[in-house]
Amino acid sequence: MRDLGKCGTKVATNIIIDYVVDGEVIHNMNEDWLNEHFDYWSWNPYFDGNWDYQKAEERFKKYIK
């Protein structure tokens, strides 16, 4: 990733958040770290494998103000 950035390639990622691992909810990554390593990134709430528009809207309200 860093080598690509040095060559002028734009580097982006999609961060999956709010999923459960061994009973613990995993939240957002550190935004400063993301800004240092990526030209663009976005949050993507995890939907437990099922798309639910209302659930998506509620989760995005947490991150987009």
Side-chain angles (χ1 to χ4, degrees):
M1 180 175 68
R2 289 183 183 168
D3 289 341
L4 287 172
K6 289 177 188 175
C7 294
T9 302
K10 298 294 182 191
V11 182
T13 192
N14 186 19
I15 309 296
I16 297 175
I17 56 173
D18 291 350
Y19 60 95
V20 179
V21 175
D22 297 329
E24 179 184 350
V25 176
I26 307 299
H27 296 289
N28 331 16
M29 291 187 66
N30 180 289
E31 291 184 33
D32 291 332
W33 186 90
L34 291 169
N35 289 331
E36 287 177 25
H37 292 86
F38 295 96
D39 297 298
Y40 175 82
W41 53 267
S42 64
W43 301 130
N44 182 3
Y46 182 64
F47 299 104
D48 304 326
N50 298 309
W51 175 255
D52 180 329
Y53 183 83
Q54 288 179 324
K55 188 175 183 181
E57 189 172 43
E58 288 173 18
R59 286 188 173 185
F60 270 103
K61 284 180 183 178
K62 282 175 46 178
Y63 302 104
I64 300 173
K65 294 178 180 170

